[in-house]
Amino acid sequence: MKSNQYDARTFAIMLRAMMDKFEKDIRESKFAELMNKHFAASSIPKGIHCLSLRLTDEYSSNAHARKQLPSPELLPLLSDNSYYHFILSTDNILAASVVVTSTVQSSLKPEKIVFHIITDKKTYAGMHSWFALNPSSPAIVEVKGIHQFDWLTRENVPVLEAVENHNGIRNYYHGNHVAGANLSATTPRTFASKLQARSPKYISLLNHIRIYLPELFPNLDKVVFLDDDVVIQRDLSPLWEIDLEGQVNGAVETCRGEDEWVMSKRFKNYFNFSHPLIAKHLDPEECAWAYGMNIFDLRAWRKTDIRETYHYWLKENLKSNLTMWKLGTLPPALIAFKGHVHPIDPSWHLLGLGYQIKTSIENVEKAAVIHYNGQSKPWLQIGFEHLRPYWAKYVNYSNDFVRSCHILEP
């Protein structure tokens, strides 16, 4: 100011301009950080890709990796309703191993556990190899590819064709997420939620598969469905004793709780209530519930039209060019299961470990199931360091395949 002999007014104007520029730069950096995080969350880490390739190769060259799962004498137990049946749908072998290991190690009756793992065609050989070479005894594990279910045809699963044929779908999930986005008129938090809604996993059949459980497992009465980003810390057998009072879906409600960031979700958080169909049929204040650890009474489900309702609303959203909702499979499920949900105690299922850095460690240690929903998965570099150990302790780092692929260590 002295060297250029600026007067105070000119200096103030220049200082304001500099501050505005710095604020703009910080804002742009924040959006760039969010985009980079989105790409990191959507990509497959090199170690996990390596694990899948190595295990797939093992399937073709090692008879032990191809052995029947489970062994022939145990096949009748796959439809025995006196056992605890868990269903897991994933193409992530490492994540699947953690879910199964943590469930078995936390169980008081591991010999009564049956795991039904559903994966896609490209991952089937690797997934089979892992569980054939690393048995979770005394639990029973079945691995099936989507292609092995006769019921999953295009006629029965219109979501397949609808999603694949819709012009804007692939571009919406795989296109340029910044193009057309008015960053000057949005906040980083809003942009972050929009990016999360554009994860390619939301158009995967593996993500929609849970809506077909009664048909895929016609002999089962009651099952617990688990997402692949959960860790089990307590015996889950009491879930089968919960009286769902004739309802189909036992789930934790997500509109009540101390954590306002995670436990404040109502229908208005998921749906566009300016759309006339949404406004006509739904209540914006209705409490949402969590996908990721659900008890499903398949007998009660078979008496409903839940699947048909799900398909109807999925098609309506496609017709409306995705203007009814953006985020994945939960919104159509919230509608389809409306009136069929029985709330269960929140201590069964703690959410938000993949996006809530302030998660209470005390709550984490008390919860039966912890759920890393959000972008910061524990197997990614962007996972929260203080929350990763609760997941990593179930990874077998001494396994030859895990070691040779240099899987992320704690």
Side-chain angles (χ1 to χ4, degrees), residues 40 45 376-385 388 406 408-409:
S376 301
K377 304 297 186 197
W379 55 83
L380 299 175
Q381 294 282 359
I382 58 172
F384 299 128
E385 289 296 332
R388 183 177 288 132
H406 307 291
L408 188 69
E409 292 208 41

Side-chain angles (χ1 to χ4, degrees), residues 6 20 48 53 89 105-106 122 139 256 299 317 328 330 407:
Y6 291 134
D20 286 346
I48 287 179
L53 291 178
S89 171
Q105 287 187 15
S106 303
K122 69 177 172 54
R256 302 178 184 87
R299 288 168 304 181
N317 193 33
L330 180 57
I407 299 289

Side-chain angles (χ1 to χ4, degrees), residues 120-187:
D120 57 19
K121 197 169 186 175
K122 69 177 172 54
T123 315
Y124 171 75
M127 188 76 78
H128 188 106
S129 289
W130 176 268
F131 287 102
L133 298 172
N134 302 282
S136 300
S137 319
I140 296 159
V141 176
E142 171 192 39
V143 177
K144 283 190 89 168
I146 286 178
H147 58 289
Q148 294 173 315
F149 287 99
D150 297 335
W151 187 86
L152 285 174
T153 62
R154 287 187 178 276
E155 298 73 47
N156 289 332
V157 190
V159 63
L160 271 176
E161 205 145 11
V163 165
E164 287 175 4
N165 290 345
H166 191 272
N167 291 332
I169 285 277
R170 289 198 66 77
N171 190 45
Y172 179 79
Y173 287 101
H174 294 281
N176 186 335
H177 297 337
V178 176
N182 184 0
L183 298 184
S184 61
T186 189
T187 65

Side-chain angles (χ1 to χ4, degrees), residues 267-268 270-279 323-325:
F267 276 28
K268 64 186 176 187
Y270 296 99
F271 297 101
N272 171 17
F273 276 88
S274 62
H275 193 288
L277 255 184
I278 294 292
T323 55
M324 291 185 179
W325 68 79

Side-chain angles (χ1 to χ4, degrees), residues 31-98:
F31 284 117
E33 179 197 346
L34 290 170
M35 277 303 302
N36 290 335
K37 192 171 182 184
H38 173 72
F39 291 132
S42 303
S43 61
I44 301 169
K46 192 163 67 173
I48 287 179
H49 183 57
C50 161
L51 186 67
S52 184
L53 291 178
R54 291 282 314 277
L55 287 163
T56 300
D57 182 56
E58 196 72 11
Y59 186 84
S60 62
S61 60
N62 182 349
H64 292 294
R66 294 193 301 275
K67 72 179 179 186
Q68 188 173 337
L69 284 179
S71 52
E73 68 275 11
L74 297 176
L75 287 176
L77 302 182
L78 296 179
S79 53
D80 186 334
N81 283 296
S82 68
Y83 280 68
Y84 304 121
H85 293 268
F86 292 92
I87 297 173
L88 172 66
S89 171
T90 181
D91 60 356
N92 185 328
I93 298 168
L94 187 67
S97 76
V98 167

